[in-house]
């Protein structure tokens, strides 16, 4: 990006709108949640939540107004509005969208193909009745009669019995955290998935103020997640147990890569074994289709 474009961006009123609404949202959440106890004593529990809700609604209204009226397609531009997205930006966008959608997909029940080829014993295939054998039978005959066969079975497309992605404490009596799934990546997977998706989609638009607006949810995840952890460590509005705090992180993958979860290679392999594969595959496919569709460009739109 050229120095001229940076100067134009910094002087652009659209930039102030792009960052201002999100900054208001972050600050009001930080201030109100940090002073939660004091405000509840003054306003009461219901009054605090009404006040919190009113300010958050106002902040998000500002965010939405900024995007629709001030930021979308606003100059300065990196390429023509409606033009094709550069290949490098598309590749980076795909990686980020696949990661964000992949993280989001892991919060849903495990998907599975609704039909499967399973082993069925002779008794099951005969309606549960034992095979009738007249007279003495050889071991080969008995083995043939009871040998399992293969049959197609219809099953629910959601595997509600899969519990590998749940975090808890182990049963060793030590109280150590036994983490699984998304909790290996971050303590706030929903926030970070939203932020990463925003950043991925920011790369698909030519407007620099619009890119800033779309990237701001990443700041919400980083700052908001860190502040939530800080409050929970102090017992404000929740709990973050030290044994869980020591092996997880706010920033995605940091606890896995810095050795907090033990050997890095083993931590990555353990996580790979817990991933809901079909969920992740569908998310990756959706990310690819979205980026390819947006990357082709479309008819020129207005430019502010």
């Amino acid at each position: 990006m050229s120095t001229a474009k940076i100067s134009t961006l910094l002087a652009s009123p659209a930039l102030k709108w792009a960052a201002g609404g999100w900054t208001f949202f972050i600050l009001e959440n930080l201030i109100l949640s940090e002073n939660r106890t004091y405000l509840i004593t003054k306003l009461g529990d219901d009054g605090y939540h009404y006040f919190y809700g009113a300010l958050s609604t106002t902040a998000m209204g500002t965010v939405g107004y900024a995007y629709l009226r001030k930021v979308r397609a606003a100059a300065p531009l990196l390429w023509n509005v409606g033009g094709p997205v550069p290949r490098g930006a598309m590749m980076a966008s795909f990686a980020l969208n696949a990661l964000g959608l992949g993280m989001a997909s892991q919060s849903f029940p495990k998907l599975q193909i609704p039909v499967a080829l399973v082993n069925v014993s002779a008794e099951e295939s005969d309606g549960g009745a034992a095979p009738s054998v007249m007279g003495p039978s050889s071991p080969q005959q008995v083995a043939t009669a009871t040998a399992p066969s293969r049959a197609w079975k219809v099953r629910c497309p959601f595997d509600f019995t899969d519990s590998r992605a749940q975090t808890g404490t182990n049963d060793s009596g030590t109280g150590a955290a036994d983490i699984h799934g998304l909790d290996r990546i971050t303590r706030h997977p929903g926030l970070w998935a939203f932020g990463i998706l925003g950043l991925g989609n920011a790369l698909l638009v030519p407007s620099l103020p619009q890119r800033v607006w779309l990237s701001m949810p990443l700041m919400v995840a980083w700052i908001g997640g860190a502040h939530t952890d800080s409050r929970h460590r102090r017992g404000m509005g929740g709990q973050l147990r030290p044994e869980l705090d020591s092996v997880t992180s706010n920033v995605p993958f940091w606890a896995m890569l810095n050795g907090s979860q033990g050997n890095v290679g083993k931590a990555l392999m353990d996580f790979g074994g817990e991933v809901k594969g079909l969920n992740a595959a569908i998310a990756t496919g959706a990310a690819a289709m979205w980026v390819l569709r947006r990357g082709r460009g479309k008819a020129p739109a207005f430019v502010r």
Side-chain angles (χ1 to χ4, degrees):
M1 188 188 305
S2 67
T3 304
K5 284 189 180 294
I6 295 176
S7 300
T8 305
L9 173 64
L10 294 176
S12 168
L15 174 64
K16 298 177 177 64
W17 279 101
W22 283 112
T23 302
F24 176 29
F25 177 74
I26 292 171
L27 289 177
E28 62 91 7
N29 272 275
L30 290 179
I31 294 170
L32 294 185
S33 59
E34 182 64 28
N35 296 280
R36 182 176 187 272
T37 303
Y38 171 78
L39 290 172
I40 287 177
T41 60
K42 295 295 183 181
L43 303 175
D45 189 68
D46 288 342
Y48 167 76
H49 285 95
Y50 287 142
F51 184 51
Y52 200 145
L55 276 183
S56 292
T57 301
T58 302
M60 291 311 298
T62 304
V63 169
Y65 173 80
Y67 183 80
L68 294 173
R69 306 296 297 178
K70 301 293 184 180
V71 172
R72 186 172 51 176
L77 304 174
L78 294 176
W79 63 85
N80 292 332
V81 174
V85 179
R87 182 161 299 181
M90 287 181 63
M91 293 174 63
S93 175
F94 166 70
L96 290 167
N97 275 286
L99 176 59
L101 285 177
M103 289 174 62
S105 74
Q106 299 303 298
S107 64
F108 291 94
K110 180 183 178 182
L111 294 174
Q112 58 186 0
I113 298 174
V115 291
L117 193 60
V118 299
N119 290 326
V120 180
S121 66
E123 288 85 351
E124 292 173 325
S125 62
D126 197 32
S132 176
V133 181
M134 299 298 292
S137 301
S138 67
Q140 291 81 3
Q141 289 175 315
V142 174
T144 301
T146 60
S149 60
R150 304 280 281 173
W152 289 100
K153 179 181 179 181
V154 178
R155 56 186 183 176
C156 178
F158 296 100
D159 183 6
F160 293 104
T161 64
D162 182 76
S163 59
R164 292 177 300 171
Q166 296 179 358
T167 296
T169 54
N170 62 23
D171 298 325
S172 64
T174 64
D178 184 19
I179 55 174
H180 299 278
L182 286 179
D183 291 288
R184 292 185 183 275
I185 300 178
T186 173
R187 287 189 286 266
H188 308 284
L191 279 177
W192 280 100
F194 181 51
I196 291 169
L197 283 171
L199 183 60
N201 282 279
L203 296 175
L204 297 175
V205 298
S207 165
L208 289 177
Q210 189 174 353
R211 283 190 167 200
V212 171
W213 190 96
L214 289 168
S215 301
M216 286 299 289
L218 203 65
M219 297 298 294
V220 174
W222 180 36
I223 298 173
H227 186 247
T228 298
D229 291 341
S230 173
R231 290 192 301 107
H232 288 182
R233 290 187 186 104
R234 291 173 283 155
M236 295 176 59
Q239 294 289 332
L240 178 57
R241 295 178 290 108
E243 58 270 23
L244 184 61
D245 191 11
S246 64
V247 294
T248 57
S249 62
N250 175 32
V251 177
F253 297 103
W254 179 242
M256 295 178 69
L257 298 178
N258 69 7
S260 296
Q261 297 176 13
N263 180 271
V264 175
K266 184 178 184 303
L268 291 171
M269 290 181 63
D270 289 343
F271 172 69
E274 296 162 358
V275 167
K276 300 169 184 175
L278 187 55
N279 297 44
I282 292 174
T284 302
M289 289 189 293
W290 173 254
V291 172
L292 287 173
R293 180 181 178 185
R294 294 294 304 274
R296 288 196 300 264
K298 57 183 179 180
F302 63 93
V303 179
R304 290 190 175 88

